Amino acid sequence: MKFFVDTAEISEIRELAETGLLDGVTTNPTLIAKSGRNIAEVIAEICEIVSGPVSAEVAATDYKQMLMEAAVLRRIAKNVTIKVPLTPDGLRACYALSREGIMVNVTLCFSAAQALLAAKAGASFISPFVGRLDDIGQNGMDLIADIVQIYANYPAIKTEVLVASIRNPIHLIEAAKMGADVATIPPAVIKQLYHHPLTDKGLAAFLADWGKTGQSIV
Ligand code: G3P
């Protein structure tokens, strides 16, 4: 399973890139606003740190404007993935861009029918938002199971399931059990993945016992 980080904060991306865990980055207009940076500058900086796909989202809602924005964003770096919303214009832009060999991430997916449309439009990634479905009392992970199952029925579909709006490690583990291709994870949730109280307790005991030996390895 590929791990993307869902942030536009350079310091967080740099720190994660050094762990070797990071396969890509996703941003969206909210994350760019949060960074307080110019989109072109921040995406360029991210692409210098991470060689995998870096999603940059168009802000336009009409097809022609989306393509104009995509042209600007693509020029930033080779690994820029154009992110478009799951709307009729967004899917039309996805079809046009993917035919030119450009990676497209279709975002704001909340149904299996939408995911099927994105695959037919040639999306490289479909981004179903699990946390936001949970927020309205629906089970976000059921959507992932449906999309993974549907895509698996059609080997011609090359679209990768990119689980988005992840709020906790359980979302990630469930997604991995279902065979989702990618998870885009907020930095705080990536940090949570490392921790287990028994690891901390076990390490403390080992260190205490080691201290009693009076030895040093180097
Ligand atoms: O990048 C899209 C998605 O991951 C947003 O997550 O937490 O704002 O629903 P969230």
Side-chain angles (χ1 to χ4, degrees):
M1 181 184 228
K2 286 176 255 185
F3 278 15
F4 290 2
V5 66
D6 203 22
T7 185
E9 296 300 329
I10 296 295
S11 57
E12 291 173 331
I13 294 167
R14 212 180 283 286
E15 191 184 321
L16 283 162
E18 283 166 8
T19 66
L21 290 176
L22 208 53
D23 301 301
V25 177
T26 53
T27 67
N28 61 37
T30 303
L31 295 171
I32 297 291
K34 207 169 147 200
S35 77
R37 307 265 318 267
N38 170 275
I39 183 168
E41 283 173 22
V42 78
I43 295 293
E45 209 172 323
I46 295 170
C47 290
E48 278 172 23
I49 302 167
V50 178
S51 60
V54 174
S55 290
E57 188 161 340
V58 298
T61 53
D62 78 282
Y63 168 73
K64 278 193 179 154
Q65 193 74 23
M66 279 184 193
L67 290 189
M68 281 163 62
E69 292 185 359
V72 173
L73 296 171
R74 284 165 54 190
R75 276 199 294 274
I76 297 173
K78 272 196 292 205
N79 52 330
V80 169
T81 298
I82 304 299
K83 204 170 177 188
V84 298
L86 209 153
T87 60
D89 282 60
L91 291 183
R92 190 175 159 203
C94 174
Y95 179 62
L97 293 166
S98 61
R99 289 214 312 174
E100 283 183 56
I102 296 156
M103 284 192 298
V104 182
N105 176 358
V106 176
T107 189
L108 292 167
C109 171
F110 293 97
S111 79
Q114 290 178 321
L116 199 47
L117 292 179
K120 289 187 72 69
S124 302
F125 302 103
I126 181 69
S127 289
F129 280 30
V130 294
R132 292 192 196 185
L133 279 171
D134 291 354
D135 290 346
I136 61 158
Q138 293 182 23
N139 186 342
M141 295 317 301
D142 285 350
L143 174 60
I144 304 303
D146 284 349
I147 299 172
V148 168
Q149 184 190 348
I150 290 167
Y151 282 9
N153 285 342
Y154 301 96
I157 293 180
K158 300 297 175 215
T159 307
E160 295 187 42
V161 180
L162 193 170
V163 182
S165 189
I166 284 181
R167 302 279 169 77
N168 55 58
I170 297 167
H171 279 148
L172 176 71
I173 296 311
E174 290 298 312
K177 282 162 76 176
M178 290 169 186
D181 304 281
V182 191
T184 189
I185 319 167
V189 176
I190 295 183
K191 289 203 169 80
Q192 284 182 295
L193 302 177
Y194 285 93
H195 297 298
H196 194 285
L198 291 180
T199 304
D200 299 339
K201 191 177 166 198
L203 181 60
F206 284 158
L207 292 178
D209 290 341
W210 181 249
K212 290 178 206 156
T213 71
Q215 299 179 44
S216 89
I217 294 174
V218 287

